[in-house]
Amino acid sequence: MIIAIDGPSGTGKSTVAKELAHRLGFTFFDTGAMYRSFAWKIVQENIDPTDQAKVVSILPRFGYSIRKDQRGERRYFVGDQDVTEAIREVQISPIASQIATYSEVRKALVKIQRAFGHRSDAVFEGRDMGTVVFPDADLKIFLTARPAVRAKRRYHELMAKFPDLAESLNIDQVQKELEERDLNDMNRSISPLRQASDAILIDTSDLSVSQVVGKIIRLGSQKENHYPKMKWAYRIIYLLARGYFRLFFRLKIYGLEHYRRGKGVLAANHNSNLDPPVLSVSCPEEVHFLAKESLFHVPLLGRLIRTLNSHPVSRGASDAQTFRTIIQLLQHGHKVILFPEGSRSFDGELQPIERGLPFLVQKSQSTVFPAYIEGTFQAWPRTQKMPKLWGKITCVFGSPIEWEDFEGLDKRQAEEQISQRIGRSLRELRSWLQSGAKGSPP
Ligand code: DC
């Protein structure tokens, strides 16, 4: 899968693309660094950047490579020279912008970029990713931000990297330099900076990096074909169980418009042992859940629940061990069913939300999908040994709760507010259902 992110500098492009690649486990490719590295080479060779023929003649000697250091950080090399810091110096920017207007330079660099793109899932960041380099990218994003915000960001970025500039640099000057560069990048005749017709525009002026990344991940997850199909054994049991619930329990599912595939926590109210299977068959993808380890030793049942992606938690397991299992599942991009009320209700009523789930949400940076289940208490309450064979069950999905909304808060406050949001959502879904299930659930 290729995600193309374009836009002028100061929109948070690099930071967003890097974080996005990190969260998706994709390779990150900063194409601006490549133009900058070539600009660095031009400076090294003492060539006038406006002399197109001379600049182009250097191309065959431009040995560009990306290597990882011991900490796994990427370093940019021209030949054997590490240029990672040097290419960010102020004087390199206008030269990069200048040499990027030459068609031979672009052709040569684009060729290398495409070769990288064929190798792995990657996030590409630049000016012409969606329009020229990867016109078939799976997802195209164009970032913008107000000029003053962009200048401020670029100014702070420069100050952090080159504190010596403090006396010679001010924000107005940075804004002027950005505007000149934008003009150059937008008005050049080949591959000008512009939004591809199918790219999605995001204004980052008032958003944090995680909010932008979250938005892009959500857009990506709507592209369904990116997600693996159900395993055949899972699919067979899923279809049989869904048929059974539909036939004998008249299972109704609402709110699937809120559902997104991939990483996330399905947080449901808990009344009965029927809740995990009901929720599993209500979801349009494979989901994972936890089950008592002892169940895995029951001959047939053990195999069945293993096939259905359940993961054992032993009786004596500490919370920390259980949390680790859940976090690993989420890190692998799975959807995990959890019951934030803790144990099954004795009376079929909603119960208070415990602390564990909000902690997990924060720690794993996951979206919560609230789900309200009705009818499983009547079908199989915890006070009865065996379930009824028929009845009426409904599952309602509510609007997702995004972890980024709680990002600025301190840990305790965030956990408190996430608990409240989940509790409120379950109550609202119940009222929506009980007042006639009209329109889309809240
Ligand atoms: O993103 P950046 O500021 O590091 O990019 C430096 C210059 O390189 C920018 O002025 C325009 C040019 N560039 C380009 O023309 N095409 C790209 N795909 C990336 C950068």
Side-chain angles (χ1 to χ4, degrees):
M1 185 190 203
I2 287 187
I3 303 182
I5 303 190
D6 289 308
S9 46
T11 50
K13 230 176 350 132
S14 287
T15 324
V16 164
K18 206 184 287 174
E19 176 66 19
L20 178 68
H22 174 71
R23 276 180 61 186
L24 294 174
F26 283 20
T27 307
F28 161 63
F29 204 104
D30 169 0
T31 60
M34 211 173 177
Y35 286 90
R36 285 174 179 275
S37 299
F38 189 54
W40 177 88
K41 175 87 177 158
I42 298 302
V43 175
Q44 286 293 302
E45 303 264 340
N46 259 327
I47 286 173
D48 172 4
T50 60
D51 185 341
Q52 183 167 350
K54 277 240 172 79
V55 169
V56 169
S57 73
I58 299 297
L59 275 171
R61 285 190 278 129
F62 175 52
Y64 178 72
S65 58
I66 305 171
R67 305 177 199 166
K68 290 224 167 131
D69 67 11
Q70 283 157 339
R71 285 180 299 145
E73 298 288 333
R74 24 188 51 225
R75 315 281 312 172
Y76 301 106
F77 281 78
V78 176
D80 281 333
Q81 184 83 30
D82 184 341
V83 296
T84 317
E85 275 82 32
I87 59 172
R88 302 294 165 194
E89 281 176 14
V90 200
Q91 64 273 22
I92 292 290
S93 301
I95 303 174
S97 186
Q98 171 70 31
I99 53 103
T101 60
Y102 304 148
S103 77
E104 284 90 341
V105 172
R106 300 204 73 84
K107 253 191 235 148
L109 300 200
V110 164
K111 204 166 149 199
I112 306 176
Q113 291 159 17
R114 288 203 181 121
F116 271 99
H118 288 304
R119 277 189 231 150
S120 61
D121 286 330
V123 179
F124 276 82
E125 174 249 303
R127 301 289 190 289
D128 56 347
M129 296 299 109
T131 46
V132 176
V133 185
F134 298 109
D136 297 327
D138 302 86
L139 181 63
K140 298 181 187 176
I141 304 291
F142 194 88
L143 300 182
T144 58
R146 292 188 296 273
V149 174
R150 293 175 42 210
K152 205 168 136 197
R153 285 179 186 159
R154 178 92 180 113
Y155 176 78
H156 289 303
E157 189 190 335
L158 285 172
M159 284 296 111
K161 277 194 191 129
F162 308 105
D164 300 349
L165 293 178
E167 291 197 349
S168 57
L169 210 62
N170 62 56
I171 293 196
D172 293 339
Q173 185 192 342
V174 171
Q175 184 161 343
K176 195 164 150 271
E177 191 263 340
L178 273 185
E179 279 164 6
E180 275 167 19
R181 199 138 66 89
D182 281 358
L183 223 60
N184 205 17
D185 294 344
M186 286 189 293
N187 294 323
R188 65 184 180 217
S189 55
I190 68 160
S191 312
L193 165 67
R194 68 179 169 80
Q195 184 183 347
S197 57
D198 52 348
I200 297 157
L201 182 74
I202 301 179
D203 186 332
T204 67
S205 305
D206 304 310
L207 298 176
S208 71
V209 172
S210 345
Q211 283 173 325
V212 181
V213 172
K215 250 180 197 256
I216 300 175
I217 290 181
R218 285 192 282 289
L219 289 164
S221 68
Q222 283 159 8
K223 306 231 159 207
E224 305 211 335
N225 52 9
H226 174 52
Y227 292 97
K229 294 221 166 67
M230 284 180 190
K231 294 187 295 259
W232 67 267
Y234 187 103
R235 182 161 204 94
I236 290 172
I237 300 168
Y238 171 89
L239 289 173
L240 285 173
R242 195 156 73 151
Y244 172 78
F245 280 114
R246 282 210 191 272
L247 203 62
F248 290 91
F249 287 95
R250 289 174 288 150
L251 173 66
K252 272 212 152 100
I253 305 163
Y254 294 101
L256 274 174
E257 61 276 23
H258 294 309
Y259 194 92
R260 288 197 314 266
R261 292 168 191 241
K263 177 180 169 182
V265 171
L266 275 168
N269 57 319
H270 200 12
N271 286 316
S272 158
N273 283 334
L274 287 177
D275 294 330
V278 163
L279 205 49
S280 302
V281 302
S282 301
C283 294
E285 66 173 336
E286 283 193 27
V287 294
H288 293 247
F289 58 96
L290 304 179
K292 274 186 256 166
E293 196 185 20
S294 54
L295 294 180
F296 288 78
H297 303 304
V298 182
L300 254 172
L301 183 70
R303 271 190 89 136
L304 182 75
I305 59 175
R306 217 178 271 280
T307 309
L308 292 176
N309 297 332
S310 66
H311 303 265
V313 226
S314 58
R315 225 169 210 296
S318 64
D319 281 354
Q321 268 171 308
T322 312
F323 282 4
R324 216 171 299 133
T325 308
I326 300 170
I327 287 177
Q328 269 170 6
L329 288 169
L330 291 165
Q331 278 169 345
H332 282 98
H334 295 309
K335 186 79 87 281
V336 184
I337 294 180
L338 294 173
F339 297 103
E341 299 169 331
S343 52
R344 285 167 292 164
S345 148
F346 277 99
D347 55 7
E349 283 302 312
L350 293 176
Q351 312 167 78
I353 305 296
E354 293 197 338
R355 283 229 163 245
L357 195 142
F359 166 79
L360 277 168
V361 169
Q362 286 259 293
K363 183 104 186 131
S364 62
Q365 306 188 329
S366 300
T367 303
V368 179
F369 296 83
Y372 174 72
I373 306 173
E374 192 164 276
T376 50
F377 180 77
Q378 289 73 11
W380 195 5
R382 64 187 295 171
T383 46
Q384 270 173 32
K385 269 224 140 75
M386 296 300 283
K388 288 196 186 131
L389 291 179
W390 55 82
K392 186 170 185 323
I393 295 178
T394 311
C395 178
V396 191
F397 293 104
S399 326
I401 301 170
E402 313 294 354
W403 71 270
E404 298 98 341
D405 293 350
F406 308 90
E407 202 189 0
L409 305 173
D410 77 53
K411 247 171 71 182
R412 277 210 154 267
Q413 263 183 327
E415 285 177 22
E416 186 64 41
Q417 292 201 15
I418 295 172
S419 292
Q420 286 174 5
R421 273 279 281 282
I422 297 174
R424 193 168 72 225
S425 172
L426 294 177
R427 287 193 299 279
E428 286 174 357
L429 292 173
R430 179 181 60 181
S431 315
W432 177 86
L433 183 64
Q434 293 177 352
S435 59
K438 288 191 197 70
S440 182

